[in-house]
Amino acid sequence: MKLKSINPATLEVLAEIETTPIDKVFEIAEKAQLAFKSWSSKTIDERLGLLKRARGIFYEIKDELARLITLENGKPIVESYSMEIFPTLDLFDFYIKNAKKILKRKKVRSQIPLFWIKRNYIHFEPLGVVAVISPWNYPLLLPIAPIISALVAGNCVIFKPSEYTSLIGLKIAEIFHKAGFPDGVFNIVIGYGDVGEALVNSNIDKISFTGSTKTGRLIMQNASKKPIPVTLELGGKDPMIVFDDVDIETSATSAVWSAFANAGQTCVSVEVCYVHEKIFQEFVEKVVEKTKKLKIGNGLDPDVEIGPINNEKQLKIIENQIQDAISKGAKILTGGKRIKPKDKNGSELAGYFFEPTVIIDVDNSMLLMKEETFGPVLPILSFKDEDEVVEKVNSSEYGLSASVWTKDKKRAERVVEKIKSGSVLVNECIVHYGDAKAPCGGVKSSGFGRVHSEFGLYDMVNIKFESFDYISSYRLWWYGYDEKLLNTMKKAIAFLYSPSLTEKLKSAPGLLLNLFRKNESKI
Ligand code: NAD
């Protein structure tokens, strides 16, 4: 069976790609399991050596990759560089520089004095074969983080790119193969949801999934049968909260970029804006004015700021939410419909374009407020005070990311602390996802587990505790229970944990005498 890779700006077919037959998916997983045996026994330096080669190839072909991203995903070429190539290189460099230190076996000293003769360690071991299942909205950046962290930690990877961005997936596979990763260590499967489902049910040891909350739930159900661990990076409904002390010009400009970059198809894009009632009118006017100036078109044109929606299915979700909102009384201030922008030669583009849309008079009965939109739509609401807005934000089913705009540092600290979310930024939106040191992930229906930073690496390992004791020949707590052991335990608890110094001192002599009870053991 073949799937079509389509340019969403022109609807031109870029390629027809063979999908992976379901039985082949199971075979690939078995092959990866075999490869894991030798791959996991390589030193981290050997693994990092190959990763450096992949990074080198990646850098060499970055222009080709950026162009392919714009062709197959649709985002403006500037964003292919700023929001895909740039953060991807940063991730490579972070893990190349820090993985060895993060994954080094760590010595731990027990809190309990009796255990001080033991040598204890935390050892980070690979899990086995990791399935990386990705969406289409950031077809390079999103899979690359779990792929790099899984490989560096000693796992094999089976990568399933989105059916909408398979060409980019194949390009990523080409980079890892050219870099010399041994056969079976990096694998790719191509296809729709059924191929993803087969992968989840194949002989794998971990799933790193980025995609919709609906698919995430299904994946978790299937993974629970074995069970194997899952990391779920799911949908969001990120709020931007704007207090009345902000610079309106700056925060309005940010709202426009943060809601409409990648045509709003960013998991951490601003999906709803809460603005203090005192500045609501002026803020909305500025947002509308700026939105009207955005240039819509084919992302290959360097001036274009808004590219197409990636696929028809997503476009219909956006249209449906807008129609539902209008029917329930919402007011569109600009945008609100599909368009056919012109290309450089003046011809109409046939692709999936939707106007950047600013909408007010929305409420929680509307789909737009309840569900993720994942399109260039910005609903703006007003609020009266801090408590009210925090409660509104926290009542959302999602908790991926949020932003707070204010000059008042104390208020910022307070609100940041109160918001239930994977991340909260002050006077900034979105960009933390491009910072390799920032752990990214969600709470509530936005998922769990983290990508990026040291936590992205810890997500890919078995945190194994190792304890070595070559000294003790008997243990105080072994069988031979009697009155004396009971008293020893009571004294030990008093000595270690009593809040009273007198009680601690009183228990010490008896405790010392009772510690060595070897000869009295009854078994
Ligand atoms: P999706 O859930 O439809 O698909 C994601 C991937 O899962 C695709 O590769 C798809 O083929 C595969 N898949 C589908 N059904 C499957 C099944 N039953 N078993 C296994 N795999 C299956 O999501 P999408 O439409 O491609 O992406 C958009 C969604 O991704 C949005 O909800 C967005 O918020 C979310 N997202 C989240 C993050 C994050 O970091 N939290 C980042 C980007 C995107």
Side-chain angles (χ1 to χ4, degrees):
M1 190 180 143
K2 284 190 170 175
L3 62 73
K4 283 185 180 151
S5 162
I6 291 181
N7 178 340
T10 59
L11 303 194
E12 165 204 3
V13 176
L14 297 170
E16 293 203 15
I17 307 164
E18 205 64 56
T19 59
T20 312
I22 299 296
D23 53 348
K24 188 84 199 299
V25 176
F26 292 100
E27 255 176 55
I28 289 171
E30 295 304 333
K31 206 174 117 197
Q33 288 290 354
L34 281 179
F36 174 68
K37 289 188 182 134
S38 54
W39 177 243
S40 56
S41 63
K42 292 208 183 303
T43 64
I44 188 156
D45 285 322
E46 286 173 302
R47 297 199 292 261
L48 282 171
L50 289 176
L51 193 72
K52 282 179 199 161
R53 294 234 295 258
R55 191 249 191 240
I57 299 168
F58 180 86
Y59 188 80
E60 267 169 36
I61 66 158
K62 61 185 180 315
D63 299 325
E64 185 193 340
L65 248 171
R67 189 179 154 77
L68 183 61
I69 292 170
T70 294
L71 278 175
E72 202 183 30
N73 165 271
K75 69 184 48 149
I77 189 76
V78 171
E79 290 176 8
S80 288
Y81 281 92
S82 63
M83 299 174 91
E84 300 258 22
I85 304 285
F86 195 121
T88 296
L89 280 166
D90 199 50
L91 275 166
F92 266 110
D93 286 358
F94 173 76
Y95 287 117
I96 287 170
K97 210 165 138 196
N98 299 295
K100 197 170 171 183
K101 196 167 119 209
I102 296 168
L103 293 177
K104 194 170 178 255
R105 196 179 183 221
K106 291 183 175 47
K107 201 167 179 186
V108 279
R109 191 169 185 243
S110 173
Q111 288 204 116
I112 305 167
L114 269 181
F115 291 173
W116 286 348
I117 49 178
K118 296 176 192 294
R119 288 162 67 83
N120 294 340
Y121 299 93
I122 294 172
H123 189 173
F124 304 107
E125 277 187 346
L127 293 164
V129 177
V130 177
V132 175
I133 304 177
S134 296
W136 44 262
N137 62 324
Y138 284 83
L140 173 68
L141 176 64
L142 294 175
I144 210 79
I147 288 172
I148 294 178
S149 21
L151 290 173
V152 166
N155 302 284
C156 292
V157 165
I158 307 176
F159 169 39
K160 151 82 179 78
S162 164
E163 52 272 38
Y164 296 108
T165 49
S166 301
L167 276 183
I168 298 158
L170 287 168
K171 196 43 102 183
I172 294 173
E174 193 185 307
I175 293 172
F176 284 95
H177 290 144
K178 273 195 184 153
F181 280 81
D183 219 24
V185 171
F186 181 91
N187 309 273
I188 184 164
V189 293
I190 297 287
Y192 297 92
D194 58 339
V195 170
E197 195 174 335
L199 178 57
V200 169
N201 291 324
S202 69
N203 188 7
I204 55 167
D205 303 283
K206 152 105 197 178
I207 302 162
S208 179
F209 172 76
T210 311
S212 63
T213 300
K214 188 172 157 223
T215 312
R217 288 196 172 107
L218 269 176
I219 286 182
M220 197 168 161
Q221 257 175 27
N222 283 334
S224 73
K225 290 178 203 152
K226 295 184 198 173
I228 53 170
V230 290
T231 296
L232 297 179
E233 301 287 325
L234 308 178
K237 192 83 202 157
D238 290 6
M240 173 178 183
I241 304 172
V242 187
F243 285 97
D244 57 355
D245 60 345
V246 296
D247 178 272
I248 298 181
E249 182 69 28
T250 309
S251 49
T253 309
S254 172
V256 171
W257 182 77
S258 310
F260 302 142
N262 197 23
Q265 304 158 105
T266 301
C267 55
V268 287
S269 67
V270 169
E271 285 251 336
V272 51
C273 193
Y274 294 97
V275 182
H276 193 275
E277 59 181 7
K278 274 197 202 154
I279 59 162
F280 181 78
Q281 197 56 37
E282 194 182 341
F283 183 90
V284 169
E285 279 166 18
K286 283 220 184 289
V287 167
V288 170
E289 185 193 314
K290 288 169 192 290
T291 302
K292 284 181 174 164
K293 288 184 189 157
L294 297 174
K295 185 169 175 201
I296 310 165
N298 188 333
L300 285 180
D301 176 353
D303 294 349
V304 159
E305 287 153 326
I306 307 281
I309 302 305
N310 177 263
N311 54 75
E312 177 82 25
K313 189 175 144 205
Q314 188 58 39
L315 187 53
K316 284 193 170 142
I317 295 174
I318 300 164
E319 279 183 322
N320 186 35
Q321 289 196 8
I322 292 286
Q323 274 151 23
D324 171 78
I326 293 172
S327 73
K328 289 172 180 160
K331 191 168 156 201
I332 305 270
L333 298 181
T334 181
K337 55 185 190 310
R338 285 186 190 220
I339 45 155
K340 299 261 176 243
K342 300 235 164 78
D343 69 9
K344 274 194 280 192
N345 309 320
S347 334
E348 252 185 19
L349 288 161
Y352 307 123
F353 292 91
F354 195 87
E355 288 176 321
T357 301
V358 181
I359 184 165
I360 56 168
D361 296 343
V362 290
D363 64 48
N364 284 345
S365 71
M366 300 170 187
L367 291 174
L368 187 68
M369 290 301 292
K370 286 194 277 200
E371 294 175 6
E372 186 185 41
T373 307
F374 222 53
V377 178
L378 182 61
I380 312 182
L381 294 92
S382 71
F383 70 89
K384 283 191 174 53
D385 64 50
E386 193 179 306
D387 287 346
E388 177 207 344
V389 74
V390 168
E391 198 187 311
K392 276 188 179 152
V393 162
N394 282 343
S395 69
S396 167
E397 173 197 343
Y398 296 99
L400 192 56
S401 184
S403 66
V404 182
W405 288 72
T406 180
K407 287 182 182 149
D408 179 339
K409 291 182 182 168
K410 283 199 173 130
R411 170 160 60 195
E413 289 283 346
R414 254 191 338 263
V415 177
V416 166
E417 201 184 316
K418 284 185 206 158
I419 291 177
K420 295 186 180 74
S421 179
S423 53
V424 188
L425 315 186
V426 173
N427 300 328
E428 185 59 282
C429 297
I430 297 188
V431 296
H432 65 300
Y433 207 94
D435 180 349
K437 286 194 175 182
C440 292
V443 296
K444 302 194 269 183
S445 291
S446 294
F448 49 79
R450 294 293 179 264
V451 290
H452 303 179
S453 79
E454 67 267 40
F455 299 102
L457 266 186
Y458 292 144
D459 222 57
M460 293 293 177
V461 290
N462 169 27
I463 301 173
K464 185 177 180 184
F465 178 70
E466 298 173 343
S467 180
F468 299 82
D469 186 338
Y470 299 109
I471 298 170
S472 322
S473 57
Y474 76 98
R475 312 292 188 272
L476 179 68
W477 50 91
W478 278 354
Y479 279 132
Y481 296 169
D482 55 13
E483 194 70 30
K484 193 169 169 194
L485 179 57
L486 186 63
N487 285 330
T488 308
M489 281 301 154
K490 285 182 179 172
K491 284 187 187 347
I493 288 166
F495 181 70
L496 289 174
Y497 307 113
S498 169
S500 139
L501 185 63
T502 324
E503 198 182 352
K504 275 181 187 289
L505 292 175
K506 262 169 67 184
S507 62
L511 176 63
L512 276 174
L513 284 176
N514 285 353
L515 274 182
F516 304 96
R517 65 178 197 106
K518 181 182 176 186
N519 299 336
E520 289 166 30
S521 172
K522 289 176 193 133
I523 63 164

